[in-house]
Amino acid sequence: MILELDPDGRTLSGDLDEGRSVAGGMLFPPGDVTIRHGLGATLFHRQGWTSWSPTGWSPLDESPMRIHGDPRRTITADDAALDQPDHHEGSGLGALDLGDGRVLLLGALGLGSPRVRATDTELTGRSDADGDEWFVAIGPEDTVFSAYAELLRERLGRPTAPRVSTLWCSWYSFFEDVDERRFLEAVTDLGDLPFDVVQLDDGWERMVGDWVPNAGFPSGMAEVAARVHARGSRPGLWLAPFICLPGSVVATEHPDWLVQDPAGGPLEAGWNWDTHYHALDTTLPAVQEHLDEVFRRVADWGFRYLKLDFLSAAAMVGVRSEDIPRERVYRDAVQRIRAVVGPDVYLLGCGAPVLPSVGVFDGLRVGPDTAAEWFLPGSVEDPSYEGGLNALSAAVERMWMSSLFQVDPDVVSFRSGDAATTPAQRALIRDVASVAGFRSTSDPVAWLADDERDGLEAFLRSAPSVRRTGRYRYELDGRAVDFGPVMQEVRRGREHLA
């Protein structure tokens, strides 16, 4: 289907008889769609495939926003099967800045690995599998993105669990060096600080893929959850349900459960923990029964907040027992988990394919890990790489998604002694958390000086009114916050790649 945008950028022509008007724009049927505009657009908004994938506005005359020079990282943090080194292309959604305060948006309203490619004269959408309708809109950025989000909610659903306001997690303090004693001491030290959720992260399990507690948790996970519940917080737990490490019991005893590489052998679905990991074939009845058992057990332990990580492995290109479109495979698997744990257990997706997660997750990590540093070597070429700058910029670019699920920009740190960030940088990270309304930290209270603890408490108890005043500008209780200079810092760092 070919559509033409007039020279003033105000009306479409072409195969309009195939479309229909809706609030804020027009719907067009599944299939390829091309919008020819010739308006000299210079900026393209790329939607990344997963939580970590490069996302945001970038100049069309520069190198495409993507992960440069690290194929393993591309497999882990983006859709390697559709990576386009020479083209500006996004997953499910693309938009062009028309330079006059308006944008032209083309967005998919369903699954099928849809993608949108841009040039300075065209915006093109296509899907690998049977897709759904396309939404086309022209107008102010806030208006068209909001209209698109509303249609996604209508088609794919809305969150079901009670919202999260404040959260403490163990990751950035203890990482994998966590055990029952350390975790429960940290829980006790939280005192009367108002944490809605207290979450145990990676390090509790016997091995990634084997979701039973290791020897460091002798009292059992139900006791851990009960101790968190006793302080008045929702108990939270980290899992990566769709992957397993090569040495796990699941991988060694059930090699037939693994997604296979089209070239032969088990698929390497990503890299972490100093090795590769495999993906479970969630179309297999035996794997489905395994996941049911895992999540019944976790729910019985008493955990009411589940951070599910490395989720894109379930949607990788590979050989499965059933030939089902891969984004449908992923969504079916998450919906199965939802059915087991119930509508009131909060599900947070991380490393999750974004569009197929709408309506089944309550919250979504929208960028890479913050880490302790502002940025690390290689993080400019790889916008998915950990660091405060990459995490903050991704969260700002994806704040429009707040009506689809809670936007989790990752943790805020109040520890100044061992941080490689400046006070100004930490203030920006606090501000983006306040804009998102998802305030989290990993700081053990025992590690904080008195003034740092006071700052943490003030942050947790704050609930500022938020008003967006520009693409990267907000007001928090009337205080102007401008993330624009940070976004320019990201752009300046990428200029040598053009």
Side-chain angles (χ1 to χ4, degrees):
M1 178 188 307
I2 305 296
L3 305 174
E4 302 276 354
L5 191 60
D6 76 356
D8 294 325
R10 300 195 177 279
T11 58
L12 286 168
S13 60
D15 298 329
L16 296 182
D17 55 335
E18 296 189 37
R20 59 189 175 92
S21 295
V22 293
M26 293 190 70
L27 295 182
F28 291 93
D32 293 352
V33 57
T34 296
I35 306 171
R36 294 174 176 162
H37 58 85
L39 296 175
T42 59
L43 293 175
F44 173 61
H45 186 280
R46 178 196 199 264
Q47 169 73 342
W49 186 48
T50 79
S51 305
W52 305 321
S53 302
T55 296
W57 292 96
S58 64
L60 283 168
D61 61 356
E62 295 183 4
S63 177
M65 182 185 289
R66 56 185 291 271
I67 298 170
H68 290 262
D70 190 346
R72 287 185 170 182
R73 184 64 187 170
T74 301
I75 290 174
T76 306
D78 208 349
D79 193 349
L82 299 179
D83 182 47
Q84 294 290 330
D86 302 320
H87 299 284
H88 289 272
E89 188 166 286
S91 176
L93 162 68
L96 291 170
D97 188 326
L98 301 181
D100 59 0
R102 296 178 304 146
V103 302
L104 168 63
L105 181 147
L106 175 61
L109 293 172
L111 312 184
S113 303
R115 53 206 185 272
V116 177
R117 177 178 295 182
T119 70
D120 58 355
T121 60
E122 291 186 349
L123 200 58
T124 301
R126 62 194 186 284
S127 299
D128 279 353
D130 291 340
D132 209 316
E133 291 180 302
W134 293 95
F135 175 64
V136 177
I138 310 163
E141 184 174 340
D142 272 356
T143 301
V144 297
F145 275 83
S146 294
Y148 177 54
E150 178 59 32
L151 286 169
L152 288 175
R153 287 197 300 274
E154 291 176 3
R155 301 295 180 90
L156 299 177
R158 303 167 187 263
T160 60
R163 290 172 63 87
V164 168
S165 55
T166 55
L167 176 144
W168 187 90
C169 79
S170 62
W171 180 244
Y172 293 103
S173 50
F174 305 137
F175 295 96
E176 294 172 71
D177 187 21
V178 65
D179 57 26
E180 181 180 308
R181 179 191 60 81
R182 295 192 81 184
F183 180 72
L184 292 180
E185 284 181 355
V187 171
T188 299
D189 289 342
L190 296 178
D192 62 353
L193 289 173
F195 283 104
D196 181 21
V197 173
V198 175
Q199 180 229 315
L200 174 61
D201 213 282
D202 187 12
W204 68 271
E205 73 282 0
R206 190 175 297 166
M207 181 177 284
V208 171
D210 299 333
W211 304 110
V212 292
N214 58 42
F217 291 83
S219 301
M221 303 307 290
E223 175 63 19
V224 171
R227 290 283 297 275
V228 173
H229 179 74
R231 80 168 304 273
S233 299
R234 279 186 269 181
L237 192 66
W238 174 94
L239 304 96
F242 302 145
I243 67 170
C244 58
L245 292 179
S248 64
V249 172
V250 165
T252 55
E253 294 189 358
H254 302 283
D256 55 313
W257 287 8
L258 306 180
V259 177
Q260 299 297 299
D261 193 308
L267 181 72
E268 294 185 355
W271 280 263
N272 205 47
W273 302 281
D274 299 319
T275 186
H276 65 273
Y277 53 79
H278 297 301
L280 295 181
D281 179 358
T282 59
T283 68
L284 279 168
V287 172
Q288 294 168 3
E289 292 169 7
H290 163 73
L291 290 173
D292 289 352
E293 179 184 350
V294 166
F295 283 94
R296 277 195 296 265
R297 184 166 63 242
V298 168
D300 288 345
W301 285 337
F303 290 97
R304 294 296 177 263
Y305 172 100
L306 302 178
K307 176 184 175 183
L308 308 184
D309 212 346
F310 295 91
L311 295 175
S312 63
M316 299 282 288
V317 172
V319 179
R320 296 176 173 83
S321 66
E322 293 193 38
D323 186 17
I324 300 172
R326 57 196 179 105
E327 289 190 342
R328 171 53 59 189
V329 169
Y330 163 78
R331 188 173 174 88
D332 287 348
V334 179
Q335 287 179 318
R336 191 176 188 96
I337 292 171
R338 169 62 76 194
V340 171
V341 301
D344 295 331
V345 171
Y346 191 104
L347 296 183
L348 179 85
C350 190
V354 175
L355 187 61
S357 295
V358 175
V360 289
F361 277 100
D362 303 291
L364 202 77
R365 270 282 299 281
V366 291
D369 287 4
T370 57
E373 293 82 1
W374 188 236
F375 65 87
L376 297 172
S379 64
V380 171
E381 292 84 349
D382 178 0
S384 77
Y385 204 74
E386 64 185 33
L389 177 60
N390 280 342
L392 184 148
S393 61
V396 171
E397 295 282 21
R398 278 177 158 163
M399 206 61 71
W400 69 272
M401 304 178 75
S402 296
S403 61
L404 299 174
F405 27 57
Q406 282 194 273
V407 167
D408 174 11
D410 207 14
V411 302
V412 177
S413 179
F414 291 82
R415 286 178 274 159
S416 58
D418 60 349
T421 51
T422 67
Q425 290 164 349
R426 291 196 296 277
L428 283 169
I429 294 172
R430 288 196 299 273
D431 283 340
V432 80
S434 293
V435 169
F438 195 108
R439 300 186 297 282
S440 63
T441 188
S442 277
D443 290 343
V445 173
W447 296 6
L448 299 178
D450 289 346
D451 62 330
E452 293 167 346
R453 187 199 180 283
D454 291 344
L456 170 60
E457 182 166 12
F459 170 70
L460 296 173
R461 296 190 184 281
S462 67
S465 63
V466 177
R467 187 170 75 92
R468 190 182 186 196
T469 59
R471 176 172 291 166
Y472 300 135
R473 296 190 304 276
Y474 293 84
E475 286 185 355
L476 299 178
D477 280 344
R479 174 174 62 89
V481 176
D482 186 1
F483 298 111
V486 176
M487 312 310 285
Q488 286 298 317
E489 184 177 348
V490 175
R491 180 178 173 183
R492 285 194 301 272
R494 295 184 69 253
E495 284 178 349
H496 70 282
L497 298 173

